[in-house]
Amino acid sequence: MGVSVVHSAAELPAAALLAQEQTHEFPHGIALDTTLLAQEYVGGDEYSVETVISRGDVHHLAVTEKFTTQGSSRAELGHTVPAELTDEVREAVLATAEQAIRALGLRNGIAHTEIKAGTDGTAKIIEIGARPPGDHIMRLLSEALGISEARAYLQTALGERPDVTPLRSGAAAIRFLTAPQAGTLRWIHDLPEGQGVTTSVYKMPGDEVGAPQDNIGRVGHVILCARSAREANEAALEVTGAVKVEVATSWR
């Protein structure tokens, strides 16, 4: 929320205004510090690593591929488990995540590490949290690989060996539905149906919706299962391309 990619000094005032408009955390309404923070931009493709740590042993469950908007914002549009990667990029992403986990001294629990990786085999940490992943990624893990991260987390907390063995080799994807612009939702057309597809809608006709510049602007999501990451991504592109979100600037 309130994050902008800035390319020149001329773009700073608008970026500062957007950042300071975010006075309360969504959805719990917690007051936020409105101090501005500028960070170096890190390029590359976005991934996250889902990990269970038990007595210092690191078990990476999967690498998740992340899809975002481009331009001045980086709203997340979806995730796919597991990510389709070259061996070089996968090794770099997993090694970087493990280095971060060990540097923080995490010994028991789980970690969600967000990373940007380049095609040259470099990987940089964006964020690491000793917490479950959001956006239904744990469900994607279960659907794609048959792994329950929640169960492994509880087993670790109880001092038991976590069950992290994949039960199958598939893929699952989630894609978020967004409005083309801010306004009043009129209708969502052509929602997908069928075996292996789950659709959820957050907004109803008449609700106000935001532009797709952050993760709050979502109006729903679609979850799909497939045999491979490539098939999941192709199916997700097809179904989301068919969905039309109709928005009016004023409700009539």
Side-chain angles (χ1 to χ4, degrees), residues 141-167:
L141 274 170
S142 178
E143 297 281 2
L145 305 176
I147 297 174
S148 171
E149 186 175 2
R151 177 183 174 85
Y153 193 2
L154 290 173
Q155 289 171 324
T156 300
L158 294 171
E160 302 175 3
R161 179 181 294 275
D163 184 3
V164 295
T165 304
L167 300 180

mmCIF file of all heavy atoms in Angstrom, residues 141-167:
data_model
loop_
_atom_site.group_PDB
_atom_site.id
_atom_site.type_symbol
_atom_site.label_atom_id
_atom_site.label_comp_id
_atom_site.label_asym_id
_atom_site.label_seq_id
_atom_site.Cartn_x
_atom_site.Cartn_y
_atom_site.Cartn_z
ATOM 1 N N LEU A 141 0.011 -24.890 -2.014
ATOM 2 C CA LEU A 141 0.947 -25.944 -1.643
ATOM 3 C C LEU A 141 0.234 -27.279 -1.486
ATOM 4 O O LEU A 141 0.709 -28.322 -1.945
ATOM 5 C CB LEU A 141 1.644 -25.591 -0.325
ATOM 6 C CG LEU A 141 2.895 -24.730 -0.383
ATOM 7 C CD1 LEU A 141 3.275 -24.292 1.021
ATOM 8 C CD2 LEU A 141 4.044 -25.495 -1.014
ATOM 9 N N SER A 142 -0.913 -27.224 -0.820
ATOM 10 C CA SER A 142 -1.679 -28.449 -0.594
ATOM 11 C C SER A 142 -2.213 -29.027 -1.901
ATOM 12 O O SER A 142 -2.124 -30.234 -2.155
ATOM 13 C CB SER A 142 -2.837 -28.160 0.367
ATOM 14 O OG SER A 142 -3.628 -29.305 0.565
ATOM 15 N N GLU A 143 -2.756 -28.156 -2.745
ATOM 16 C CA GLU A 143 -3.331 -28.612 -4.009
ATOM 17 C C GLU A 143 -2.262 -29.164 -4.955
ATOM 18 O O GLU A 143 -2.464 -30.183 -5.627
ATOM 19 C CB GLU A 143 -4.072 -27.463 -4.692
ATOM 20 C CG GLU A 143 -5.271 -26.905 -3.925
ATOM 21 C CD GLU A 143 -6.505 -27.779 -4.071
ATOM 22 O OE1 GLU A 143 -6.424 -28.827 -4.736
ATOM 23 O OE2 GLU A 143 -7.548 -27.415 -3.501
ATOM 24 N N ALA A 144 -1.114 -28.480 -5.008
ATOM 25 C CA ALA A 144 -0.082 -28.853 -5.970
ATOM 26 C C ALA A 144 0.762 -30.036 -5.510
ATOM 27 O O ALA A 144 1.064 -30.937 -6.302
ATOM 28 C CB ALA A 144 0.822 -27.656 -6.248
ATOM 29 N N LEU A 145 1.149 -30.033 -4.225
ATOM 30 C CA LEU A 145 2.133 -30.998 -3.750
ATOM 31 C C LEU A 145 1.613 -31.910 -2.647
ATOM 32 O O LEU A 145 2.312 -32.842 -2.236
ATOM 33 C CB LEU A 145 3.382 -30.254 -3.243
ATOM 34 C CG LEU A 145 4.025 -29.289 -4.246
ATOM 35 C CD1 LEU A 145 5.176 -28.545 -3.591
ATOM 36 C CD2 LEU A 145 4.506 -30.032 -5.485
ATOM 37 N N GLY A 146 0.416 -31.626 -2.141
ATOM 38 C CA GLY A 146 -0.123 -32.435 -1.065
ATOM 39 C C GLY A 146 0.523 -32.171 0.281
ATOM 40 O O GLY A 146 0.414 -32.988 1.199
ATOM 41 N N ILE A 147 1.190 -31.045 0.435
ATOM 42 C CA ILE A 147 1.858 -30.690 1.691
ATOM 43 C C ILE A 147 0.977 -29.731 2.488
ATOM 44 O O ILE A 147 0.510 -28.729 1.937
ATOM 45 C CB ILE A 147 3.220 -30.017 1.426
ATOM 46 C CG1 ILE A 147 4.169 -30.980 0.714
ATOM 47 C CG2 ILE A 147 3.850 -29.525 2.723
ATOM 48 C CD1 ILE A 147 5.481 -30.342 0.291
ATOM 49 N N SER A 148 0.768 -30.023 3.764
ATOM 50 C CA SER A 148 0.057 -29.114 4.655
ATOM 51 C C SER A 148 1.083 -28.331 5.460
ATOM 52 O O SER A 148 1.685 -28.861 6.408
ATOM 53 C CB SER A 148 -0.880 -29.870 5.592
ATOM 54 O OG SER A 148 -1.407 -28.988 6.577
ATOM 55 N N GLU A 149 1.306 -27.072 5.099
ATOM 56 C CA GLU A 149 2.260 -26.246 5.838
ATOM 57 C C GLU A 149 1.760 -25.982 7.252
ATOM 58 O O GLU A 149 2.552 -25.911 8.196
ATOM 59 C CB GLU A 149 2.518 -24.929 5.112
ATOM 60 C CG GLU A 149 3.610 -24.103 5.760
ATOM 61 C CD GLU A 149 3.965 -22.859 4.981
ATOM 62 O OE1 GLU A 149 3.341 -22.595 3.937
ATOM 63 O OE2 GLU A 149 4.881 -22.125 5.418
ATOM 64 N N ALA A 150 0.446 -25.850 7.407
ATOM 65 C CA ALA A 150 -0.114 -25.620 8.738
ATOM 66 C C ALA A 150 0.179 -26.814 9.655
ATOM 67 O O ALA A 150 0.554 -26.641 10.826
ATOM 68 C CB ALA A 150 -1.619 -25.382 8.638
ATOM 69 N N ARG A 151 -0.003 -28.022 9.135
ATOM 70 C CA ARG A 151 0.282 -29.221 9.922
ATOM 71 C C ARG A 151 1.767 -29.285 10.293
ATOM 72 O O ARG A 151 2.124 -29.580 11.440
ATOM 73 C CB ARG A 151 -0.127 -30.471 9.138
ATOM 74 C CG ARG A 151 0.188 -31.791 9.840
ATOM 75 C CD ARG A 151 -0.177 -32.978 8.952
ATOM 76 N NE ARG A 151 0.242 -34.235 9.554
ATOM 77 C CZ ARG A 151 -0.470 -34.920 10.432
ATOM 78 N NH1 ARG A 151 -1.655 -34.468 10.826
ATOM 79 N NH2 ARG A 151 -0.024 -36.061 10.925
ATOM 80 N N ALA A 152 2.638 -29.003 9.309
ATOM 81 C CA ALA A 152 4.078 -29.033 9.576
ATOM 82 C C ALA A 152 4.460 -27.994 10.631
ATOM 83 O O ALA A 152 5.343 -28.237 11.470
ATOM 84 C CB ALA A 152 4.839 -28.788 8.277
ATOM 85 N N TYR A 153 3.801 -26.851 10.593
ATOM 86 C CA TYR A 153 4.051 -25.781 11.576
ATOM 87 C C TYR A 153 3.697 -26.267 12.980
ATOM 88 O O TYR A 153 4.483 -26.119 13.938
ATOM 89 C CB TYR A 153 3.207 -24.570 11.185
ATOM 90 C CG TYR A 153 3.546 -23.271 11.876
ATOM 91 C CD1 TYR A 153 4.584 -23.153 12.772
ATOM 92 C CD2 TYR A 153 2.800 -22.128 11.593
ATOM 93 C CE1 TYR A 153 4.883 -21.941 13.384
ATOM 94 C CE2 TYR A 153 3.079 -20.911 12.184
ATOM 95 C CZ TYR A 153 4.124 -20.828 13.089
ATOM 96 O OH TYR A 153 4.401 -19.629 13.679
ATOM 97 N N LEU A 154 2.533 -26.886 13.118
ATOM 98 C CA LEU A 154 2.100 -27.395 14.424
ATOM 99 C C LEU A 154 3.013 -28.525 14.899
ATOM 100 O O LEU A 154 3.346 -28.601 16.093
ATOM 101 C CB LEU A 154 0.656 -27.877 14.343
ATOM 102 C CG LEU A 154 -0.407 -26.786 14.181
ATOM 103 C CD1 LEU A 154 -1.774 -27.410 13.936
ATOM 104 C CD2 LEU A 154 -0.449 -25.886 15.406
ATOM 105 N N GLN A 155 3.404 -29.401 13.998
ATOM 106 C CA GLN A 155 4.308 -30.477 14.383
ATOM 107 C C GLN A 155 5.624 -29.917 14.919
ATOM 108 O O GLN A 155 6.164 -30.411 15.917
ATOM 109 C CB GLN A 155 4.567 -31.395 13.181
ATOM 110 C CG GLN A 155 3.360 -32.237 12.789
ATOM 111 C CD GLN A 155 3.558 -32.979 11.483
ATOM 112 O OE1 GLN A 155 4.194 -32.457 10.559
ATOM 113 N NE2 GLN A 155 3.027 -34.187 11.392
ATOM 114 N N THR A 156 6.140 -28.879 14.270
ATOM 115 C CA THR A 156 7.374 -28.249 14.719
ATOM 116 C C THR A 156 7.198 -27.628 16.101
ATOM 117 O O THR A 156 8.061 -27.761 16.980
ATOM 118 C CB THR A 156 7.824 -27.186 13.703
ATOM 119 O OG1 THR A 156 8.047 -27.819 12.441
ATOM 120 C CG2 THR A 156 9.099 -26.501 14.149
ATOM 121 N N ALA A 157 6.069 -26.952 16.298
ATOM 122 C CA ALA A 157 5.796 -26.317 17.594
ATOM 123 C C ALA A 157 5.699 -27.347 18.717
ATOM 124 O O ALA A 157 6.041 -27.054 19.869
ATOM 125 C CB ALA A 157 4.515 -25.513 17.508
ATOM 126 N N LEU A 158 5.248 -28.557 18.394
ATOM 127 C CA LEU A 158 5.104 -29.620 19.384
ATOM 128 C C LEU A 158 6.379 -30.439 19.554
ATOM 129 O O LEU A 158 6.401 -31.417 20.313
ATOM 130 C CB LEU A 158 3.948 -30.547 18.982
ATOM 131 C CG LEU A 158 2.551 -29.915 19.011
ATOM 132 C CD1 LEU A 158 1.524 -30.852 18.390
ATOM 133 C CD2 LEU A 158 2.159 -29.554 20.441
ATOM 134 N N GLY A 159 7.432 -30.050 18.850
ATOM 135 C CA GLY A 159 8.692 -30.770 18.966
ATOM 136 C C GLY A 159 8.757 -32.040 18.155
ATOM 137 O O GLY A 159 9.669 -32.851 18.333
ATOM 138 N N GLU A 160 7.797 -32.235 17.228
ATOM 139 C CA GLU A 160 7.785 -33.421 16.386
ATOM 140 C C GLU A 160 8.494 -33.135 15.064
ATOM 141 O O GLU A 160 8.676 -31.980 14.675
ATOM 142 C CB GLU A 160 6.340 -33.853 16.101
ATOM 143 C CG GLU A 160 5.525 -34.157 17.346
ATOM 144 C CD GLU A 160 4.075 -34.451 17.016
ATOM 145 O OE1 GLU A 160 3.725 -34.481 15.808
ATOM 146 O OE2 GLU A 160 3.279 -34.634 17.960
ATOM 147 N N ARG A 161 8.877 -34.198 14.375
ATOM 148 C CA ARG A 161 9.481 -34.031 13.054
ATOM 149 C C ARG A 161 8.382 -33.607 12.064
ATOM 150 O O ARG A 161 7.379 -34.314 11.929
ATOM 151 C CB ARG A 161 10.118 -35.323 12.578
ATOM 152 C CG ARG A 161 10.744 -35.222 11.179
ATOM 153 C CD ARG A 161 11.328 -36.551 10.755
ATOM 154 N NE ARG A 161 12.457 -36.893 11.597
ATOM 155 C CZ ARG A 161 13.712 -36.477 11.389
ATOM 156 N NH1 ARG A 161 13.967 -35.676 10.358
ATOM 157 N NH2 ARG A 161 14.676 -36.838 12.180
ATOM 158 N N PRO A 162 8.536 -32.483 11.372
ATOM 159 C CA PRO A 162 7.472 -32.034 10.458
ATOM 160 C C PRO A 162 7.363 -32.928 9.235
ATOM 161 O O PRO A 162 8.374 -33.401 8.700
ATOM 162 C CB PRO A 162 7.911 -30.615 10.079
ATOM 163 C CG PRO A 162 9.399 -30.622 10.250
ATOM 164 C CD PRO A 162 9.670 -31.542 11.413
ATOM 165 N N ASP A 163 6.131 -33.156 8.801
ATOM 166 C CA ASP A 163 5.870 -33.951 7.609
ATOM 167 C C ASP A 163 5.895 -33.032 6.401
ATOM 168 O O ASP A 163 4.943 -32.296 6.144
ATOM 169 C CB ASP A 163 4.510 -34.636 7.742
ATOM 170 C CG ASP A 163 4.208 -35.569 6.582
ATOM 171 O OD1 ASP A 163 5.082 -35.718 5.705
ATOM 172 O OD2 ASP A 163 3.094 -36.128 6.548
ATOM 173 N N VAL A 164 6.986 -33.063 5.655
ATOM 174 C CA VAL A 164 7.162 -32.146 4.521
ATOM 175 C C VAL A 164 7.368 -32.903 3.206
ATOM 176 O O VAL A 164 7.790 -32.320 2.210
ATOM 177 C CB VAL A 164 8.346 -31.193 4.769
ATOM 178 C CG1 VAL A 164 8.070 -30.278 5.951
ATOM 179 C CG2 VAL A 164 9.654 -31.973 4.995
ATOM 180 N N THR A 165 7.056 -34.190 3.185
ATOM 181 C CA THR A 165 7.247 -34.990 1.976
ATOM 182 C C THR A 165 6.111 -34.739 0.989
ATOM 183 O O THR A 165 4.931 -34.900 1.339
ATOM 184 C CB THR A 165 7.281 -36.490 2.318
ATOM 185 O OG1 THR A 165 8.313 -36.720 3.283
ATOM 186 C CG2 THR A 165 7.541 -37.313 1.073
ATOM 187 N N PRO A 166 6.407 -34.344 -0.247
ATOM 188 C CA PRO A 166 5.339 -34.153 -1.242
ATOM 189 C C PRO A 166 4.613 -35.464 -1.526
ATOM 190 O O PRO A 166 5.237 -36.520 -1.629
ATOM 191 C CB PRO A 166 6.099 -33.664 -2.485
ATOM 192 C CG PRO A 166 7.397 -33.150 -1.972
ATOM 193 C CD PRO A 166 7.733 -33.984 -0.777
ATOM 194 N N LEU A 167 3.290 -35.378 -1.644
ATOM 195 C CA LEU A 167 2.479 -36.551 -1.948
ATOM 196 C C LEU A 167 2.152 -36.652 -3.434
ATOM 197 O O LEU A 167 1.693 -37.701 -3.895
ATOM 198 C CB LEU A 167 1.182 -36.508 -1.133
ATOM 199 C CG LEU A 167 1.340 -36.504 0.394
ATOM 200 C CD1 LEU A 167 -0.025 -36.465 1.060
ATOM 201 C CD2 LEU A 167 2.135 -37.714 0.853
#
